[in-house]
Amino acid sequence: MQNVIERYQTFRQVVDDITLMNNRFMNKVFDGNIPATQRMLRVILKNDKIKVRKVSVQQWLQNLYGHSAQLDILAEDEHGAQFNVEIQRNDEGASVQRARFYCGALDMHFLDRGEKYESLPDAYVIFITESDVFNEGRPIYNVERSINESGKAFGDGSHIVYVNAACQDDTPLGRLMQDFNCNDPAKMHYKELADRVNYFKTSKEGEIDMTDIIEAYAENKAAKAAHQSIIEVAKKMLADGMSIEAVVRYSELSEEDVRALADKQSA
């Protein structure tokens, strides 16, 4: 009986804590959710004329001859423009090369055989990042190609956008990022997002639909806690004078990680 109670308490704690910055949860909230997707895109791109006609999540863009891409959110507006939105919680996942690849993947996927290149729809790759990956203190970075000699826009229809989710000021974009980091739907600003988050957090049907996310989230949280415990033990071993080689052998951390810990302690 105690195990059942503990498991339910863990389940409820994860449900209470989870936010849209968890990409699995974000996928649940936005899957087929045209109003929420439309609101998000309108705020990020400052364009209230965007009319989303379909949205899906976890879409694979297959490449038979190379690397494929799995997109978090893929939306299309009434003019055929394609919007890919990705949640990235670490800087490595939001590299500029990845943004370039995703733009190319969209182009390859949405230009049918025999169609002219001029038929390519506009394509937007949007990274919502947990921190400011460019360290310039800006809430958003819009990347557009231009001609170096004249400074004129190249106008090829490709757009890359980085949104800094750490910037949560009192602007439409800042309030959207507050919503992405908020675990209480009652405190969210945008109703289109809050209604769906509330469904998953408070209804029985929503809780059932959340089971796979909760299990993955709990496992990841437990793994991080276990890894942190190992790091703390390794720090104590180094403080007691044990060699880096011995700490690597007993902790099973990589030599690189142990050396980094040793450098921090000696700094």
Side-chain angles (χ1 to χ4, degrees):
M1 183 65 178
Q2 186 64 29
N3 287 338
V4 174
I5 295 174
E6 289 177 356
R7 285 175 61 188
Y8 181 73
Q9 289 175 337
T10 299
F11 178 89
R12 282 308 321 168
Q13 186 64 53
V14 173
V15 170
D16 291 342
D17 289 346
I18 202 165
T19 72
L20 291 171
M21 289 304 294
N22 177 287
N23 70 326
R24 286 175 176 260
F25 185 52
M26 182 192 72
N27 289 339
K28 288 280 189 186
V29 169
F30 284 92
D31 191 13
N33 190 342
I34 288 177
T37 304
Q38 184 168 280
R39 173 58 59 195
M40 173 180 64
L41 293 175
R42 286 182 172 186
V43 171
I44 291 174
L45 300 175
K46 292 185 177 181
N47 183 357
D48 284 340
K49 294 182 179 180
I50 293 175
K51 293 184 179 179
V52 173
R53 70 182 190 91
K54 63 180 180 180
V55 58
S56 56
V57 302
Q58 294 293 291
Q59 290 293 304
W60 275 100
L61 301 187
Q62 298 288 350
N63 181 356
L64 297 178
Y65 305 103
H67 197 76
S68 297
Q70 187 178 31
L71 310 183
D72 279 348
I73 297 176
L74 180 60
E76 181 178 316
D77 74 3
E78 61 180 353
H79 302 297
Q82 304 295 319
F83 305 86
N84 167 220
V85 183
E86 301 285 320
I87 286 288
Q88 296 296 337
R89 304 199 72 168
N90 62 74
D91 293 356
E92 292 179 1
S95 70
V96 295
Q97 289 81 8
R98 185 172 188 171
R100 170 187 166 187
F101 179 80
Y102 275 33
C103 275
L106 288 173
D107 289 345
M108 292 291 289
H109 189 76
F110 291 103
L111 185 66
D112 292 332
R113 185 188 299 272
E115 281 194 296
K116 294 182 179 180
Y117 295 114
E118 290 75 16
S119 300
L120 270 174
D122 278 14
Y124 296 79
V125 173
I126 301 170
F127 285 153
I128 299 176
T129 60
E130 189 170 46
S131 60
D132 183 359
V133 297
F134 297 114
N135 297 312
E136 293 184 10
R138 303 178 190 277
I140 192 167
Y141 301 86
N142 288 282
V143 183
E144 303 282 346
R145 287 177 176 152
S146 63
I147 301 171
N148 288 341
E149 287 72 19
S150 66
K152 291 182 179 180
F154 190 51
D156 63 346
S158 65
H159 313 270
I160 296 173
V161 182
Y162 283 79
V163 181
N164 175 12
C167 186
Q168 301 170 31
D169 55 14
D170 191 23
T171 64
L173 182 61
R175 290 191 288 273
L176 180 67
M177 291 304 99
Q178 289 176 42
D179 284 359
F180 266 76
N181 284 278
C182 182
N183 61 9
D184 183 356
K187 296 179 180 179
M188 295 174 74
H189 299 279
Y190 292 100
K191 186 177 186 300
E192 297 92 337
L193 278 66
D195 285 349
R196 194 63 175 163
V197 170
N198 186 64
Y199 164 78
F200 284 113
K201 292 206 171 201
T202 63
S203 73
K204 291 182 179 180
E205 296 83 359
E207 286 186 358
I208 293 172
D209 204 11
M210 285 272 284
T211 302
D212 59 331
I213 296 179
I214 300 307
E215 291 176 351
Y217 185 91
E219 288 175 6
N220 184 52
K221 195 172 183 179
K224 285 183 178 179
H227 183 68
Q228 187 59 41
S229 295
I230 292 172
I231 288 176
E232 295 304 321
V233 171
K235 287 180 179 178
K236 291 179 181 178
M237 294 166 73
L238 289 168
D240 289 342
M242 291 186 68
S243 69
I244 288 177
E245 293 75 14
V247 175
V248 170
R249 183 166 63 253
Y250 291 116
S251 70
E252 297 185 354
L253 293 172
S254 70
E255 182 176 340
E256 181 182 4
D257 287 343
V258 174
R259 288 191 180 278
L261 291 175
D263 289 343
K264 286 182 180 179
Q265 287 191 340
S266 62

